Amino acid sequence: MEQLRAQEIAKWGDEAKTALGADLGKVQGLCDTACRKLEAMYPGLNVREALEVTGAGNQIAIVRAFAKLGELLGEDPGLAAQNGAQGLNAAQGVAANMYPKTDWSRYK
């Protein structure tokens, strides 16, 4: 059963490589950016391991989604950099500034 699962995941990877063609290197770089930014914003989150263990990282839809996420996060030095340095508290600080009358303690 495990061997069939591994074969299926490998097949997804081959299909993704074929679908991406010449853009494979660029897309891999964007996916790497997404993983690094997410892991910096949320310490303890191991995105790469989750994608590897489940095989989701070989699915073309997930690869494209992470590439887009990497593109977006790579272009956002503001909030992404803030969260990377200070974790979730930075995002909550931004929200508190945007919505000063909200009692954020109710949402913890």
Side-chain angles (χ1 to χ4, degrees):
M1 193 69 159
E2 184 60 32
Q3 185 181 10
L4 289 174
R5 180 180 174 274
Q7 288 173 348
E8 183 71 15
I9 290 171
K11 182 179 134 203
W12 295 340
D14 292 340
E15 290 171 353
K17 289 175 187 173
T18 300
L20 295 170
D23 290 334
L24 179 62
K26 177 184 173 186
V27 169
Q28 285 176 326
L30 290 169
C31 289
D32 180 62
T33 298
C35 289
R36 280 187 296 105
K37 295 277 187 169
L38 287 170
E39 289 169 354
M41 289 184 333
Y42 304 101
L45 179 68
N46 192 336
V47 177
R48 294 169 209 275
E49 183 180 342
L51 293 172
E52 239 178 75
V53 168
T54 63
N58 282 5
Q59 283 280 353
I60 188 64
I62 300 298
V63 170
R64 286 190 171 135
F66 266 78
K68 186 62 176 178
L69 184 59
E71 184 181 320
L72 296 171
L73 289 174
E75 292 176 354
D76 179 16
L79 185 58
Q82 254 183 330
N83 282 345
Q86 300 174 4
L88 188 56
N89 290 333
Q92 290 171 340
V94 170
N97 288 336
M98 290 176 65
Y99 305 101
K101 295 181 182 178
T102 301
D103 178 10
W104 293 103
S105 66
R106 296 178 60 191
Y107 300 101
K108 291 183 180 182

